[in-house]
Amino acid sequence: MKPERIVSAKAIDDNTLMVKFANLEIKKYNISKLLDNRMFAMLSNPGFFRNFKIEPGGYALVWNEDIDISEYELWQNGVSCTDEEIEQYIESLHNSFGLKHDRARII
């Protein structure tokens, strides 16, 4: 199956990304296994980890010239989120910031 393109992504803790794909599926991806590779060691810094961009076209999450994670990796090895997990994440945002948002806009 061809991986979908990334349309949005958020770091939900110091090791986990929540990624929304073009088909509207949302997956969680934990970077812990990547940290054994020296190339990804900088991702262990929470400030650096949270500072990524989506590559134009949705082909990867990019931190700098040397560090990126492809949509294929995120799609293949990410874990599909349940509606309950998504709601818990949204609820945590509401509690943290006192926000009232539509679920579709947060992810």
Side-chain angles (χ1 to χ4, degrees):
M1 175 182 219
K2 178 181 164 192
E4 295 288 332
R5 301 293 179 244
I6 301 164
V7 295
S8 65
K10 294 194 182 292
I12 59 172
D13 62 33
D14 291 344
N15 291 312
T16 310
L17 299 162
M18 188 175 280
V19 183
K20 182 177 179 181
F21 294 90
N23 68 350
L24 304 182
E25 185 167 353
I26 299 171
K27 292 190 176 193
K28 289 189 305 186
Y29 182 87
N30 189 298
I31 62 154
S32 296
K33 66 180 179 176
L34 298 178
L35 299 178
D36 293 335
N37 182 327
R38 286 185 33 191
M39 183 176 123
F40 292 102
M42 289 180 65
L43 294 178
S44 64
N45 175 321
F48 183 80
F49 171 66
R50 292 175 182 277
N51 191 24
F52 61 85
K53 294 182 180 176
I54 300 171
E55 184 177 72
Y59 294 99
L61 298 181
V62 179
W63 283 264
N64 62 24
E65 290 180 2
D66 299 320
I67 301 174
D68 63 50
I69 303 175
S70 72
E71 88 285 10
Y72 181 83
E73 171 65 17
L74 296 165
W75 178 259
Q76 286 297 116
N77 295 307
V79 177
S80 293
C81 290
T82 64
D83 287 343
E84 188 174 284
E85 288 173 312
I86 296 166
E87 293 298 330
Q88 286 174 350
Y89 173 67
I90 293 169
E91 185 64 30
S92 73
L93 288 177
H94 288 197
N95 292 337
S96 296
F97 300 108
L99 299 174
K100 299 217 180 226
H101 284 295
D102 180 8
R103 172 183 164 186
R105 292 183 183 179
I106 291 178
I107 304 296

